[in-house]
Amino acid sequence: MDRFILIFCIVCLSGQSFGTTTNLNSPTTPLTTLISSISPTSADSTTTQKPFWERDQFAWITPLFGDISDECREASNRYVDSLLAIVQPQSGKAIFPGIPPALQMFDSNGRLPMEGFLSDTIDLPIGICDLLGNIIKDCSYMLPSFLQNVNIKLPIGYNWNPGSYEECLVNEGIETKYCTVDMKGPDLGMGNNPFGRVQPKYETEFTRVNSLLSRYGNFRKSFKASNNSLTLNIFDLQHIKEFVGLLDKHADLSGKISDTEELLLLLGMSVYSALTQPRIGMCFPKACTAEDINKNYNNLTNKSFNIQGLDIPIDLKIQTRDPSCYTNDNRSGMPEKYPGVVIFFYILFSFIGALIIIGTAYDLYITFPTQKRKPDTLIPNFILCFSAYTNASRILSTESAGKDHLDCMNGIRFLSMTWVVEGHIFFAVFGGAIRNLGDVLGLMSGEGSLAFEAIINALPSVDSFFLMSGLLTTYILLKELDKAENNVTKHTITFIMYYVHRYLRITMTYALVIGVVIAVLPYLHYGPGWEYISTASSDCRKFWWQNLLYINTLVKNDEDNSCISVSWYLVDDMMFHFFSPIIIYPMYFSYRQSKRHLAGITYWFIALACFTFGVFYIAYTTHQSPTEVLKLPGLHTNYTYHVGFYFAPWTRYQAYLIGILAGYVLHHARGKDIKISEAINLISWQIAFLSAFAVVYGLHSAYTSQSMTLFSATMYNTFQRIAWNGALAWVIFSCVKGYGGIVNEFLSWSAFAPLSRLTFCTYLIHIEVQGMFASSVLSSFPNDFSYTLNVWYLIGQLFVSMSAAFILVLCFELPCMRVEKLLIETILAPFMPNKMVLPVKNGNSKEDIDLKGLKKTYSNDKY
């Protein structure tokens, strides 16, 4: 029976009974009350068993067993002695005034189950004779039919109780360590990735959701509960005792009652852990390392069973990691001494801050009270690049950037960014201690309304940025190529600057944001899940060079090398930009030679067909699901290359190609009146709307039925980016050429102009902001998901992310852009004068052609 009590205790962990409402958070609750509430009486004996608080059994809350360090064992023994002194005081009274430190430490442990633990459940049918065949002889003959098959009620939600992070660490009497402990059950053939950063950071949220959703869907489809079978609450001690009593009544279990109870509870715990992978915040002595804790729990949970009927090995592993543990003097999990790279970025940020102060003061001096002549030398202009006054004015300006600026794209940028943030906010709830997980997984399994598809299928929002990037790249490059005409020098400079500008434009800001992730964010706060933030800092310190070379998703590493969560997007976008001259230049020169578009458009269609066939081939041969979130039976990926299908540049280039065609069309329609009949315009808008609607909402039936053929999934993967980005390209073209009506008026609203300038930095920083929120707030207490709460999270996270982005644009992005422009103009000045005088055809006059465009940054660039 002792073994059964031990296993039961680990489900409680902190000692709370399933059948009682004992609340340790109240300082008036004595530990003896808690102990007596779960000290069981054997079903096969009239004598009371020894209390569960026998010394060795405290190993469930502090390391005592296994090859642990002497320091840890000594600290654990002192902790146990203190607890025993509370419940067994020699004088009959507690020896500590107030709340004893050991009891405070004990009380801070997380508790499972929590209130409402069984509100979200799945009934799992099992055959008792298959499970207990070795215990009950002639089981099928001895047991009546109603006992031979039962439905075990498995909880889905309430799988993370962080306990009290503050109560554990703020302990004046004992040096403590707070750790998040994972309970891992057997591999059920559906994947068994533990919670946490075990996958590359950009895959973490998808991995976590897919792992849970896959288990939830497979259990719901594979195990059909019988309405005629007895339902067994596997986590109710009294219910288990009553059920085992029924078994004993029909089949003699003398001497095996404890083993039977133990097996039933271990079955429930193991399958529950495999299904939801619960996490519990635990308070240990500071001297104990993660290795000590794991060795202790391995010693306690080394028993396993095999259920023949389900063919599931019933085992249980309880583990933690050093990055998941925190002490009061190091709550961030960062190295105690500042790493050299952290000091470097502090010096760099201080230098930039000094330049901002000096540049702003100098700018105000030459601007007020009367306008003074601006300097024309390098150093003063370099300092002015950092002026917060001028840069803030540029950011907040509601005017267009230039006469060729595509104003409707301001609204598209901001709305797409909002959609991206909302999609990530929804998945961020899985990074916190969400209790009603069954409700959320139900929404993702087709139980939500059609409108909910816009949240769980927010993935096209990222393709919108690829489209706009390809469009602007082509639109600007073709303009520069037209300016170059037959001048070989200008063509050479244009080609070189195409690569140099793009790399500098993105990388300078990106490098400084990496510095923020390394040296600023980890030290801003702390929380039970702060491992996400501290590990990101560590990843950036190790793999910054791969990120700045944009090869981090292409290079295979045993460790996560993604640094910033959205770095995969920057890799794809940079690869697209570097590759695209192979598409754009032939289209340009074919039109220049023939003055016809047929050859260029045909070449573009061939390129699109090649990449489309590539997507089809990969998706079909590797059994890809239609989206990362929707994992269906029979569509488990066999993609062996280490770059995932969702992140691979070669599976996403279709969006950029659509943008190239849109930029090509808009360039040749520049300054021209395009005549489109009302009927054609209306039909085109309808086609665009239906195409986009089908991409976002077309998978609702698949979510509902949890089934989809391989061919259907492959066709969706093959053509969804063409449909979505083709529709969006039409919206942009229609708005630019005056056929957008009220849509153009909304998207071109002047208020979107400053917001759109923040989208690049918002994209870079928003997941880190969300990670900080989830790792500190959402991880500190159990919370419930709801639509209303999700909207509040969106509003708050969008505001905080864009506020942080404003600071990054003001201090990093805009100064870097201005410095780049200044340096390029300075470098190119000896080779390319601003004006070149060319004779006009008739020879009677001369025309000045402005060449300055080659020496400026692309002001209409993506962000």
Side-chain angles (χ1 to χ4, degrees), residues 89 138 170 314 364 369 389 425 431 446 551 558 582 760 816 851:
D138 300 323
V170 183
I314 301 302
L364 293 175
Y389 171 74
I425 276 290
I551 60 173
D558 294 331
I582 298 176
F760 177 49
C816 288
L851 303 179

Tab-separated table of all heavy atoms in Angstrom, residues 89 138 170 314 364 369 389 425 431 446 551 558 582 760 816 851:
chain	number	residue	atom	x	y	z
A	89	PRO	N	5.874	17.709	16.816
A	89	PRO	CA	6.655	18.492	17.794
A	89	PRO	C	6.813	17.723	19.097
A	89	PRO	O	5.890	17.069	19.562
A	89	PRO	CB	5.808	19.757	17.987
A	89	PRO	CG	4.413	19.330	17.626
A	89	PRO	CD	4.564	18.300	16.544
A	138	ASP	N	-8.555	-16.039	-14.505
A	138	ASP	CA	-9.848	-16.311	-15.151
A	138	ASP	C	-10.750	-15.082	-15.085
A	138	ASP	O	-11.930	-15.147	-14.698
A	138	ASP	CB	-10.538	-17.502	-14.489
A	138	ASP	CG	-9.709	-18.774	-14.575
A	138	ASP	OD1	-9.051	-18.962	-15.621
A	138	ASP	OD2	-9.716	-19.562	-13.610
A	170	VAL	N	10.957	33.882	-1.889
A	170	VAL	CA	11.062	34.824	-0.773
A	170	VAL	C	10.889	34.042	0.527
A	170	VAL	O	9.843	34.049	1.164
A	170	VAL	CB	10.004	35.938	-0.888
A	170	VAL	CG1	10.181	36.948	0.239
A	170	VAL	CG2	10.108	36.634	-2.233
A	314	ILE	N	2.802	1.759	-19.784
A	314	ILE	CA	2.410	2.727	-18.761
A	314	ILE	C	3.624	3.064	-17.922
A	314	ILE	O	4.036	2.302	-17.054
A	314	ILE	CB	1.286	2.165	-17.884
A	314	ILE	CG1	0.089	1.818	-18.750
A	314	ILE	CG2	0.886	3.157	-16.815
A	314	ILE	CD1	-0.443	2.985	-19.548
A	364	LEU	N	17.892	70.906	-32.913
A	364	LEU	CA	17.058	71.976	-32.371
A	364	LEU	C	17.768	73.320	-32.451
A	364	LEU	O	17.126	74.367	-32.678
A	364	LEU	CB	16.696	71.662	-30.919
A	364	LEU	CG	15.784	70.446	-30.694
A	364	LEU	CD1	15.612	70.176	-29.204
A	364	LEU	CD2	14.430	70.665	-31.352
A	369	PRO	N	15.562	79.352	-32.782
A	369	PRO	CA	14.249	79.956	-33.066
A	369	PRO	C	14.058	80.309	-34.545
A	369	PRO	O	12.947	80.485	-35.003
A	369	PRO	CB	14.228	81.201	-32.188
A	369	PRO	CG	15.667	81.587	-32.086
A	369	PRO	CD	16.450	80.306	-32.103
A	389	TYR	N	14.287	64.522	-32.746
A	389	TYR	CA	13.261	65.475	-33.188
A	389	TYR	C	12.872	65.220	-34.644
A	389	TYR	O	11.692	65.042	-34.963
A	389	TYR	CB	13.783	66.901	-33.011
A	389	TYR	CG	12.891	67.945	-33.625
A	389	TYR	CD1	11.684	68.291	-33.025
A	389	TYR	CD2	13.255	68.585	-34.807
A	389	TYR	CE1	10.858	69.252	-33.599
A	389	TYR	CE2	12.443	69.540	-35.383
A	389	TYR	CZ	11.245	69.870	-34.774
A	389	TYR	OH	10.420	70.811	-35.349
A	425	ILE	N	-0.805	35.740	-30.496
A	425	ILE	CA	-1.390	35.887	-29.161
A	425	ILE	C	-2.204	34.652	-28.813
A	425	ILE	O	-2.148	34.138	-27.692
A	425	ILE	CB	-2.273	37.150	-29.094
A	425	ILE	CG1	-1.422	38.377	-28.792
A	425	ILE	CG2	-3.345	37.023	-28.029
A	425	ILE	CD1	-0.871	38.417	-27.382
A	431	GLY	N	1.552	28.969	-23.910
A	431	GLY	CA	2.782	29.169	-23.153
A	431	GLY	C	2.522	29.513	-21.700
A	431	GLY	O	3.453	29.660	-20.925
A	446	GLY	N	-12.602	22.087	-34.642
A	446	GLY	CA	-13.833	22.255	-35.393
A	446	GLY	C	-15.033	22.619	-34.567
A	446	GLY	O	-16.128	22.775	-35.113
A	551	ILE	N	21.398	32.489	-42.681
A	551	ILE	CA	21.527	31.074	-43.027
A	551	ILE	C	21.099	30.184	-41.865
A	551	ILE	O	21.265	28.963	-41.927
A	551	ILE	CB	22.980	30.723	-43.420
A	551	ILE	CG1	23.940	31.010	-42.257
A	551	ILE	CG2	23.406	31.463	-44.673
A	551	ILE	CD1	25.358	30.535	-42.496
A	558	ASP	N	22.403	21.055	-33.764
A	558	ASP	CA	21.786	20.271	-32.702
A	558	ASP	C	21.055	21.163	-31.710
A	558	ASP	O	20.160	20.727	-31.001
A	558	ASP	CB	22.836	19.439	-31.975
A	558	ASP	CG	23.452	18.379	-32.876
A	558	ASP	OD1	22.751	17.912	-33.798
A	558	ASP	OD2	24.633	18.040	-32.658
A	582	ILE	N	17.103	37.072	-61.082
A	582	ILE	CA	17.003	36.042	-62.119
A	582	ILE	C	15.639	36.092	-62.792
A	582	ILE	O	15.491	35.733	-63.968
A	582	ILE	CB	17.256	34.650	-61.505
A	582	ILE	CG1	18.669	34.577	-60.925
A	582	ILE	CG2	17.039	33.537	-62.520
A	582	ILE	CD1	18.972	33.271	-60.220
A	760	PHE	N	7.911	46.840	-39.381
A	760	PHE	CA	9.099	45.993	-39.431
A	760	PHE	C	9.614	45.689	-38.030
A	760	PHE	O	9.831	44.529	-37.659
A	760	PHE	CB	10.188	46.651	-40.275
A	760	PHE	CG	11.480	45.868	-40.328
A	760	PHE	CD1	11.470	44.524	-40.618
A	760	PHE	CD2	12.694	46.476	-40.087
A	760	PHE	CE1	12.649	43.786	-40.664
A	760	PHE	CE2	13.881	45.763	-40.130
A	760	PHE	CZ	13.849	44.418	-40.424
A	816	CYS	N	19.777	54.338	-38.717
A	816	CYS	CA	20.559	53.462	-39.598
A	816	CYS	C	20.252	53.743	-41.067
A	816	CYS	O	21.163	53.757	-41.912
A	816	CYS	CB	20.271	51.993	-39.267
A	816	CYS	SG	20.985	51.435	-37.703
A	851	LEU	N	20.325	61.872	-61.596
A	851	LEU	CA	20.903	60.563	-61.296
A	851	LEU	C	20.978	60.310	-59.792
A	851	LEU	O	21.540	59.321	-59.361
A	851	LEU	CB	22.321	60.465	-61.889
A	851	LEU	CG	22.419	60.698	-63.390
A	851	LEU	CD1	23.861	60.585	-63.827
A	851	LEU	CD2	21.563	59.696	-64.131
